[in-house]
Amino acid sequence: MLDLRWMNGAPFIHRGGYSNHRSSPDLVELFEYVAAVAPDSYGLLHVHDDEQPGHENDVRVLARCLDWPGHEESGTALDQGPARGQTALHEISRHGHQGADREPAMSASLPFFRYHPDPLASGSIRAASETCACCKGNRGWIYTATFYTAQDVSGRLCPWCIADGSAAERFAGEFTDSYGLDGVSEEVLHEVTRRTPGFHAWQDPHWLVHCQDAAAFVGEVGYTELAEHPEALDQLRADMRTAGWHDESQLEHFLANLGEGASAMLFRCTVCGAYLAYADAS
């Protein structure tokens, strides 16, 4: 599977599959080519190659990281990540069913977040050699999205300090506003706002609720992805009509062009599995 699309004003490539033998050209070469033609690109690549002698059961995690202006970050534990314009991918961990004796260069076992199950795909967490502002540790992953606090936080936060609630407690902050979380329990409200990674959006992001529980954030999508979940598209269409979109042609034109200046935030109900969404625009 190879997918190229624009999301939130930037091009994204998703490549995946499960072939019986090594693909040609090599998958790593494809990502190195992307790094060469797009010097400011970054991302993660998970590779399982059961034809590599001695590593048949291993999963390699490769990182291509970006040196943002004013920040020295990398995809390696030695702070020797790719400089701007460098094309190399760096192996940040190798783990497998029989590879417990190998120490990964970075912690690969990220905490699980019930209401944001794939923060790597959404871009809220990414590989980086950066010290957490809360625990002062460097575990190879850093949070990049919203955090609301009146305190001065020097640096960014690691996923573990989000998951255990220590970051929100230490800095008296929240990762998501409680807007939209009507009808959920105090426990769920606390879990979403203080122990779940937020996400990037043009407007202030907010959570959706279904079956009296917070829904799980899937990601930012365009019309094509949204149309794969008709119930979410219908729900969004109905919500927009309620919000004042009475001209059907304008409404359908807006929906059909999601992914180009505006997008949909897709969620999935943790109880019944239904998909739902809201629109976000600059």
Side-chain angles (χ1 to χ4, degrees):
M1 178 190 72
L2 179 62
D3 181 56
L4 172 63
R5 68 187 66 189
W6 284 82
M7 293 190 296
N8 203 18
F12 282 76
I13 290 180
H14 296 90
R15 180 73 169 93
Y18 193 57
S19 58
N20 291 328
H21 300 285
R22 288 181 177 175
S23 301
S24 181
D26 186 74
L27 181 60
V28 176
E29 291 181 1
L30 169 63
F31 278 79
E32 289 181 335
Y33 173 76
V34 172
V37 299
D40 285 345
S41 61
Y42 62 93
L44 284 178
L45 175 63
H46 293 75
V47 180
H48 173 218
D49 183 0
D50 62 1
E51 296 181 4
Q52 184 179 8
H55 300 288
E56 294 83 358
N57 295 311
D58 285 3
V59 175
R60 300 169 63 206
V61 184
L62 306 175
R64 160 72 183 173
C65 295
L66 170 65
D67 293 331
W68 295 97
H71 294 81
E72 295 301 321
E73 302 169 353
S74 77
T76 70
L78 300 177
D79 288 336
Q80 295 176 349
R84 185 177 298 276
Q86 186 174 336
T87 62
L89 291 167
H90 289 251
E91 181 169 334
I92 62 175
S93 74
R94 182 191 290 268
H95 54 283
H97 303 299
Q98 300 174 351
D101 57 324
R102 297 187 182 93
E103 282 293 329
M106 287 188 174
S107 298
S109 300
L110 290 168
F112 174 73
F113 300 98
R114 171 178 170 82
Y115 298 108
H116 194 160
D118 198 350
L120 295 183
S122 69
S124 294
I125 292 174
R126 68 180 181 89
S129 181
E130 187 171 334
T131 300
C132 173
C134 182
C135 68
K136 306 303 180 184
N138 182 347
R139 302 182 67 175
W141 302 94
I142 209 72
Y143 173 65
T144 67
T146 54
F147 184 56
Y148 304 101
T149 178
Q151 297 187 24
D152 183 18
V153 182
S154 179
R156 294 191 285 192
L157 303 165
C158 75
W160 292 268
C161 287
I162 298 175
D164 64 15
S166 58
E169 181 178 0
R170 176 172 180 176
F171 299 112
E174 295 183 339
F175 298 95
T176 302
D177 189 79
S178 60
Y179 172 76
L181 288 167
D182 301 325
V184 302
S185 67
E186 285 296 321
E187 181 181 357
V188 170
L189 181 66
H190 185 276
E191 183 77 15
V192 173
T193 60
R194 298 174 63 85
R195 299 180 62 176
T196 298
F199 53 88
H200 299 279
W202 286 105
Q203 308 300 323
D204 287 339
H206 64 273
W207 237 260
L208 296 182
V209 172
H210 201 267
C211 293
Q212 296 183 311
D213 191 15
F217 179 65
V218 176
E220 180 184 14
V221 300
Y223 178 78
T224 301
E225 302 97 328
L226 186 61
E228 295 174 359
H229 308 286
E231 73 274 29
L233 180 58
D234 289 343
Q235 166 258 313
L236 178 57
R237 183 182 286 112
D239 287 350
M240 293 183 67
R241 286 172 180 151
T242 301
W245 287 70
H246 302 305
D247 187 313
E248 287 297 316
S249 62
Q250 290 184 359
L251 173 58
E252 294 304 320
H253 181 269
F254 176 85
L255 293 173
N257 286 276
L258 286 171
E260 303 175 11
S263 58
M265 298 302 177
L266 184 66
F267 292 77
R268 185 175 186 269
C269 179
T270 58
V271 178
C272 71
Y275 286 88
L276 53 159
Y278 76 85
D280 181 58
S282 58

Short mmCIF file of all heavy atoms in Angstrom, two decimals, residues 57-84:
data_model
loop_
_atom_site.label_atom_id
_atom_site.label_comp_id
_atom_site.label_asym_id
_atom_site.label_seq_id
_atom_site.Cartn_x
_atom_site.Cartn_y
_atom_site.Cartn_z
N ASN A 57 13.46 -12.51 13.50
CA ASN A 57 12.33 -12.18 14.37
C ASN A 57 12.32 -10.73 14.83
O ASN A 57 11.51 -10.35 15.67
CB ASN A 57 12.34 -13.10 15.61
CG ASN A 57 12.12 -14.55 15.25
OD1 ASN A 57 11.21 -14.87 14.51
ND2 ASN A 57 12.98 -15.43 15.74
N ASP A 58 13.24 -9.94 14.30
CA ASP A 58 13.37 -8.57 14.77
C ASP A 58 12.46 -7.60 14.03
O ASP A 58 12.13 -7.81 12.85
CB ASP A 58 14.81 -8.08 14.60
CG ASP A 58 15.75 -8.68 15.64
OD1 ASP A 58 15.30 -9.52 16.45
OD2 ASP A 58 16.92 -8.30 15.65
N VAL A 59 12.08 -6.55 14.72
CA VAL A 59 11.43 -5.40 14.11
C VAL A 59 12.35 -4.21 14.29
O VAL A 59 12.71 -3.85 15.41
CB VAL A 59 10.05 -5.10 14.75
CG1 VAL A 59 9.48 -3.82 14.16
CG2 VAL A 59 9.09 -6.26 14.53
N ARG A 60 12.79 -3.63 13.20
CA ARG A 60 13.68 -2.47 13.24
C ARG A 60 12.83 -1.21 13.20
O ARG A 60 11.87 -1.12 12.45
CB ARG A 60 14.64 -2.48 12.04
CG ARG A 60 15.53 -3.68 11.96
CD ARG A 60 16.25 -3.72 10.62
NE ARG A 60 17.14 -2.58 10.45
CZ ARG A 60 17.49 -2.10 9.26
NH1 ARG A 60 16.99 -2.61 8.15
NH2 ARG A 60 18.31 -1.08 9.20
N VAL A 61 13.20 -0.23 14.02
CA VAL A 61 12.53 1.07 14.02
C VAL A 61 13.53 2.11 13.55
O VAL A 61 14.53 2.36 14.22
CB VAL A 61 11.99 1.43 15.42
CG1 VAL A 61 11.21 2.74 15.36
CG2 VAL A 61 11.09 0.33 15.96
N LEU A 62 13.26 2.70 12.40
CA LEU A 62 14.15 3.69 11.81
C LEU A 62 13.50 5.05 11.90
O LEU A 62 12.30 5.20 11.72
CB LEU A 62 14.45 3.35 10.35
CG LEU A 62 14.98 1.94 10.08
CD1 LEU A 62 15.12 1.70 8.59
CD2 LEU A 62 16.32 1.74 10.76
N ALA A 63 14.32 6.06 12.16
CA ALA A 63 13.80 7.43 12.31
C ALA A 63 14.51 8.36 11.36
O ALA A 63 15.72 8.29 11.17
CB ALA A 63 13.97 7.92 13.74
N ARG A 64 13.76 9.25 10.79
CA ARG A 64 14.28 10.38 10.02
C ARG A 64 13.74 11.61 10.73
O ARG A 64 12.53 11.86 10.72
CB ARG A 64 13.80 10.31 8.57
CG ARG A 64 13.86 11.64 7.81
CD ARG A 64 15.26 12.08 7.45
NE ARG A 64 15.24 13.37 6.79
CZ ARG A 64 16.33 14.05 6.48
NH1 ARG A 64 17.51 13.57 6.76
NH2 ARG A 64 16.24 15.22 5.90
N CYS A 65 14.59 12.37 11.45
CA CYS A 65 14.14 13.47 12.29
C CYS A 65 14.56 14.80 11.70
O CYS A 65 15.48 14.89 10.92
CB CYS A 65 14.69 13.34 13.71
SG CYS A 65 14.06 11.88 14.56
N LEU A 66 13.87 15.82 12.15
CA LEU A 66 14.04 17.17 11.63
C LEU A 66 14.70 18.05 12.68
O LEU A 66 14.31 18.05 13.83
CB LEU A 66 12.68 17.75 11.25
CG LEU A 66 12.60 19.23 10.91
CD1 LEU A 66 13.40 19.53 9.66
CD2 LEU A 66 11.15 19.64 10.72
N ASP A 67 15.73 18.79 12.28
CA ASP A 67 16.33 19.78 13.16
C ASP A 67 15.58 21.09 13.02
O ASP A 67 15.81 21.86 12.10
CB ASP A 67 17.81 20.01 12.78
CG ASP A 67 18.65 18.77 13.07
OD1 ASP A 67 18.30 18.01 13.98
OD2 ASP A 67 19.64 18.58 12.36
N TRP A 68 14.62 21.33 13.92
CA TRP A 68 13.86 22.57 13.87
C TRP A 68 14.76 23.74 14.24
O TRP A 68 15.65 23.60 15.07
CB TRP A 68 12.70 22.51 14.85
CG TRP A 68 11.68 21.50 14.50
CD1 TRP A 68 11.58 20.25 14.98
CD2 TRP A 68 10.62 21.64 13.56
NE1 TRP A 68 10.52 19.58 14.43
CE2 TRP A 68 9.91 20.42 13.56
CE3 TRP A 68 10.19 22.68 12.72
CZ2 TRP A 68 8.80 20.22 12.75
CZ3 TRP A 68 9.09 22.48 11.93
CH2 TRP A 68 8.41 21.26 11.94
N PRO A 69 14.55 24.93 13.67
CA PRO A 69 15.35 26.09 14.05
C PRO A 69 15.26 26.33 15.54
O PRO A 69 14.19 26.38 16.12
CB PRO A 69 14.70 27.24 13.25
CG PRO A 69 14.02 26.57 12.10
CD PRO A 69 13.55 25.25 12.62
N GLY A 70 16.43 26.45 16.16
CA GLY A 70 16.48 26.73 17.59
C GLY A 70 16.43 25.49 18.45
O GLY A 70 16.50 25.57 19.67
N HIS A 71 16.28 24.29 17.83
CA HIS A 71 16.24 23.06 18.61
C HIS A 71 17.22 22.07 17.99
O HIS A 71 17.18 21.83 16.80
CB HIS A 71 14.85 22.43 18.62
CG HIS A 71 13.85 23.27 19.33
ND1 HIS A 71 13.24 24.35 18.75
CD2 HIS A 71 13.37 23.20 20.59
CE1 HIS A 71 12.40 24.91 19.60
NE2 HIS A 71 12.47 24.22 20.73
N GLU A 72 18.07 21.47 18.80
CA GLU A 72 18.97 20.44 18.33
C GLU A 72 18.38 19.10 18.75
O GLU A 72 18.45 18.70 19.90
CB GLU A 72 20.38 20.63 18.92
CG GLU A 72 21.06 21.90 18.45
CD GLU A 72 21.22 21.96 16.95
OE1 GLU A 72 21.53 20.90 16.35
OE2 GLU A 72 21.04 23.04 16.36
N GLU A 73 17.74 18.42 17.81
CA GLU A 73 17.08 17.17 18.10
C GLU A 73 17.59 16.12 17.12
O GLU A 73 18.06 16.45 16.03
CB GLU A 73 15.56 17.30 17.97
CG GLU A 73 14.99 18.37 18.85
CD GLU A 73 13.55 18.66 18.51
OE1 GLU A 73 13.06 18.12 17.52
OE2 GLU A 73 12.95 19.43 19.24
N SER A 74 17.46 14.87 17.51
CA SER A 74 17.92 13.83 16.61
C SER A 74 17.14 12.57 16.82
O SER A 74 16.35 12.45 17.75
CB SER A 74 19.41 13.55 16.82
OG SER A 74 19.59 12.76 17.98
N GLY A 75 17.41 11.58 15.98
CA GLY A 75 16.76 10.30 16.12
C GLY A 75 17.68 9.25 16.71
O GLY A 75 17.43 8.08 16.55
N THR A 76 18.75 9.63 17.37
CA THR A 76 19.64 8.66 17.97
C THR A 76 19.89 9.00 19.41
O THR A 76 19.69 10.13 19.85
CB THR A 76 21.01 8.64 17.25
OG1 THR A 76 21.71 9.85 17.56
CG2 THR A 76 20.85 8.54 15.75
N ALA A 77 20.34 8.01 20.16
CA ALA A 77 20.59 8.22 21.58
C ALA A 77 21.89 8.98 21.82
O ALA A 77 22.18 9.39 22.93
CB ALA A 77 20.64 6.87 22.30
N LEU A 78 22.70 9.16 20.78
CA LEU A 78 24.00 9.81 20.94
C LEU A 78 23.97 11.27 20.50
O LEU A 78 25.02 11.90 20.37
CB LEU A 78 25.06 9.05 20.13
CG LEU A 78 25.26 7.59 20.53
CD1 LEU A 78 26.27 6.92 19.61
CD2 LEU A 78 25.72 7.48 21.97
N ASP A 79 22.76 11.81 20.26
CA ASP A 79 22.62 13.17 19.78
C ASP A 79 23.44 13.40 18.51
O ASP A 79 24.07 14.43 18.32
CB ASP A 79 23.06 14.19 20.85
CG ASP A 79 22.05 14.28 21.98
OD1 ASP A 79 20.87 13.95 21.71
OD2 ASP A 79 22.42 14.66 23.08
N GLN A 80 23.43 12.42 17.64
CA GLN A 80 24.14 12.53 16.37
C GLN A 80 23.16 12.21 15.24
O GLN A 80 23.46 11.46 14.34
CB GLN A 80 25.32 11.57 16.33
CG GLN A 80 26.40 11.93 17.36
CD GLN A 80 27.51 10.92 17.37
OE1 GLN A 80 27.42 9.85 16.78
NE2 GLN A 80 28.60 11.25 18.04
N GLY A 81 22.00 12.79 15.32
CA GLY A 81 20.96 12.55 14.31
C GLY A 81 21.27 13.25 13.02
O GLY A 81 22.26 13.98 12.91
N PRO A 82 20.44 13.06 12.01
CA PRO A 82 20.70 13.64 10.70
C PRO A 82 20.63 15.15 10.72
O PRO A 82 19.70 15.73 11.26
CB PRO A 82 19.58 13.04 9.83
CG PRO A 82 18.50 12.71 10.79
CD PRO A 82 19.18 12.33 12.06
N ALA A 83 21.61 15.80 10.17
CA ALA A 83 21.57 17.25 10.03
C ALA A 83 20.63 17.61 8.90
O ALA A 83 20.25 16.78 8.09
CB ALA A 83 22.98 17.79 9.75
N ARG A 84 20.23 18.88 8.86
CA ARG A 84 19.33 19.33 7.81
C ARG A 84 19.93 19.01 6.45
O ARG A 84 21.06 19.37 6.15
CB ARG A 84 19.09 20.84 7.95
CG ARG A 84 18.06 21.37 6.97
CD ARG A 84 17.84 22.85 7.21
NE ARG A 84 17.33 23.09 8.55
CZ ARG A 84 16.06 23.00 8.89
NH1 ARG A 84 15.17 22.67 7.98
NH2 ARG A 84 15.66 23.24 10.13
#
